[in-house]
Amino acid sequence: MRSITVAVLCAAICGAAGAAAEEKPVLLKQAPGRDKVETNCAVCHTLDYIVMNSPFLNAAGWDAEVSKMINAFGAPIGPTDAKIISDYLKSNYGRDARG
Amino acid sequence: MITRRSLLKAAGTSAILVGGSHEFSRTVVSEAKAQAATLSLPTQLPEGTRQEAVLDALPGKQPLIKLAYRPPNYETPIELLRTAITPNDAFFVRYHLSDIPQINAQTWRLAIGGEGAGREMSLTFDELRQLPAVEVAAVCQCSGNRRGLFDPHVPGVEWGYGAMGCARWRGARLKDVLDRAGLKSEALEIVVAGTDNGAVDKTPQFVKSIPLWKAIEDTTLIAYEMNGAPLPHWNGFPARIIVPGWTATYWMKHVSKVDVVTRPFEGFWMKSAYRIPLGKFPVVSRFASQETAANTPITEMVVNSLMTSHTDGATVRAGSKVTVGGVAWDAGYGIDRVEMSTDGGGTWTAAALGEDLGRFAFRTFSYDVATPTKGSYRIMARATNRIGQSQVSALIANPAGYHHNVVQTLNLIAA
């Protein structure tokens, strides 16, 4: 239920920013976990932030970024989703990404 | 939680979107696409940054280099940084938080208070404009400008060269505003807050503090004009703080609240963000009440220059000469000289300096490079200020990627 709510709110907010800043959709690599990244991360920022910060972060670097979003910026992401998101970022946008 | 305000705003503006800005957005996109072909990004940027950065126009702006759509982070292409004054529609845009309200100047109020103030009060926009007006030409540069050029890379907004600009800022002195409320003898810092917010309630609101001594300098302003026009929305309409010499993190946009405090301000954006290791950089201005044994808030800009006449790798005519130029700036000590080298830093010759718009402004420079034969030419520029500080030859590493002022090398191909 919660994730559906977040997705709906995200869509609403993305629409709002689009009116203000002509926001274009940012497509991330198709891989397991992408849906969690899209519904959680995009609440606060567009997904270009992820692509922009790649592919130089190692696994610890991406863990630190996800922790920062939760602990410093208050992203409402539980431990299960946080791990899925971190794993996706490491595998797809990390220094040792599979490509 | 998603804030109620974001949601209401989202609902409202979505409806407007349906009403049809499609024709406008198509025009903008096609113009940006036409120019995107010529977008030249520094090769040192992270590969991902080079993939996702595009030329894109925010409403009221020329196409700038989009690094992030939301919150909007757009830098100025170097071609638009050839003059001492940067046009408003070319000026870079940087936000931390995505909920950015459109403000009506007629209903806007600036609240002044805090335990170190003599009284609580507020000013309307007209009352602010009735205070004595001061104009200062000053460089506004993001602390993290050139972060994307760090080697090794550090996370953050991966700026190239263009998270900066110079404008003539006009407004009231912050000091005059503070004097109207009164300053108690124990006043220590001035806390400034804007009106932008995060998408979730728990995101720390962007609030900064400035040491009292800097806040009451004659050049520290609450500006309402930029290059003779109202501030653009994306640059802080209707009013923003101007702290000449210091990095843009203190230049609070959409300022709505000024508090005088008697103890060090504890907010996230002071205690955790925008800090540099203590003693690593040759800065004179200190923010003593915020220092720890390990680090300190970033304060003044380091001396720097940028060649903007050519993009790296540009082709020029052989058997002639080429005029290379750009802008130099520092924290307000003033640019003493810009020196050029065409032999990899072995010998240096002074460039000609352009008009002096004041110690806080961009200073243009130009230098003729002879290109007698076909081949590649490497040109370096190094600025020195009036207190003897020069750009560095090797990067001073720091975790957040601030203060990049490594001497730039421009490669030209004579053909």
Side-chain angles (χ1 to χ4, degrees), chain B residues 89-408:
Chain B
D89 65 0
F91 219 89
F92 82 103
V93 175
R94 196 277 181 264
Y95 280 88
H96 301 87
L97 306 176
S98 60
D99 181 3
I100 307 166
Q102 296 274 351
I103 298 174
N104 178 341
Q106 293 315 307
T107 53
W108 172 86
R109 295 288 182 278
L110 179 67
I112 303 119
E115 78 269 10
R119 65 186 179 109
E120 303 249 322
M121 59 172 287
S122 76
L123 287 175
T124 66
F125 191 60
D126 287 341
E127 286 166 343
L128 179 69
R129 291 179 66 97
Q130 282 160 15
L131 291 171
V134 177
E135 188 169 272
V136 181
V139 174
C140 176
Q141 179 182 224
C142 175
S143 309
N145 194 22
R146 305 189 184 181
R147 178 183 291 120
L149 311 181
F150 269 63
D151 181 15
H153 290 301
V154 295
V157 176
E158 300 297 325
W159 300 109
Y161 291 107
M164 62 171 194
C166 179
R168 291 188 175 90
W169 310 94
R170 185 178 177 83
R173 289 190 185 94
L174 179 54
K175 175 181 188 297
D176 289 346
V177 171
L178 293 170
D179 281 347
R180 294 199 46 182
L183 286 172
K184 292 182 181 168
S185 59
E186 60 269 36
L188 181 69
E189 297 178 4
I190 305 300
V191 177
V192 289
T195 47
D196 37 326
N197 284 292
V200 295
D201 287 337
K202 284 184 180 168
T203 302
Q205 202 201 347
F206 188 56
V207 182
K208 297 291 293 188
S209 69
I210 305 167
L212 180 67
W213 67 267
K214 184 67 181 174
I216 61 173
E217 280 190 347
D218 277 346
T219 48
T220 301
L221 308 181
I222 303 178
Y224 42 76
E225 275 183 21
M226 180 176 172
N227 295 326
L231 293 175
H233 167 68
W234 304 109
N235 299 106
F237 184 85
R240 77 179 299 176
I241 302 289
I242 300 301
V243 190
W246 285 32
T247 67
T249 184
Y250 298 100
W251 298 42
M252 184 62 63
K253 297 187 292 299
H254 316 291
V255 61
S256 61
K257 201 166 191 315
V258 173
D259 278 335
V260 185
V261 298
T262 57
R263 280 179 302 204
F265 175 63
E266 299 280 341
F268 168 80
W269 297 101
M270 291 307 303
K271 289 292 175 191
S272 302
Y274 288 105
R275 300 189 75 93
I276 56 173
L278 206 59
K280 265 198 154 183
F281 295 95
V283 291
V284 179
S285 284
R286 286 175 56 182
F287 196 161
S289 56
Q290 291 280 345
E291 284 183 2
T292 69
N295 59 40
T296 181
I298 193 167
T299 56
E300 64 189 17
M301 293 181 285
V302 291
V303 63
N304 219 336
S305 69
L306 179 67
M307 287 176 276
T308 54
S309 57
H310 298 79
T311 52
D312 197 31
T315 302
V316 297
R317 235 161 51 109
S320 180
K321 65 172 186 177
V322 57
T323 302
V324 170
V327 292
W329 67 98
D330 79 331
Y333 304 104
I335 292 300
D336 179 71
R337 61 188 185 276
V338 178
E339 294 164 296
M340 314 292 291
S341 177
T342 54
D343 60 1
T347 58
W348 295 86
T349 310
L353 296 183
E355 189 184 359
D356 185 354
L357 298 183
R359 62 197 179 99
F360 294 112
F362 277 154
R363 190 80 188 266
T364 57
F365 65 91
S366 65
Y367 183 75
D368 287 343
V369 178
T371 54
T373 56
K374 290 184 180 180
S376 64
Y377 291 80
R378 295 178 73 229
I379 299 131
M380 300 164 81
R382 182 182 67 191
T384 299
N385 67 8
R386 291 178 188 147
I387 60 168
Q389 298 170 330
S390 291
Q391 289 178 248
V392 297
S393 53
L395 183 69
I396 300 174
N398 63 101
Y402 298 139
H403 279 336
H404 184 303
N405 71 335
V406 178
V407 168
Q408 177 202 7

Side-chain angles (χ1 to χ4, degrees), chain A residues 8-93:
Chain A
V8 169
L9 290 174
C10 167
I13 290 165
C14 293
E22 301 293 340
E23 179 179 321
K24 318 289 187 303
V26 177
L27 273 185
L28 295 180
K29 292 177 192 170
Q30 176 62 60
R34 186 175 76 168
D35 57 331
K36 294 288 185 199
V37 172
E38 288 175 344
T39 51
N40 285 286
C41 306
V43 170
C44 294
H45 61 81
T46 38
L47 302 171
D48 41 12
Y49 270 84
I50 292 169
V51 185
M52 175 167 64
N53 279 281
S54 73
F56 58 88
L57 290 172
N58 60 18
W62 274 123
D63 280 337
E65 287 304 305
V66 173
S67 295
K68 182 179 171 185
M69 295 305 148
I70 295 167
N71 299 322
F73 292 106
I77 302 173
T80 309
D81 279 3
K83 181 165 187 334
I84 294 170
I85 291 167
S86 284
D87 288 347
Y88 172 87
L89 295 171
K90 293 172 202 171
S91 300
N92 295 283
Y93 292 95

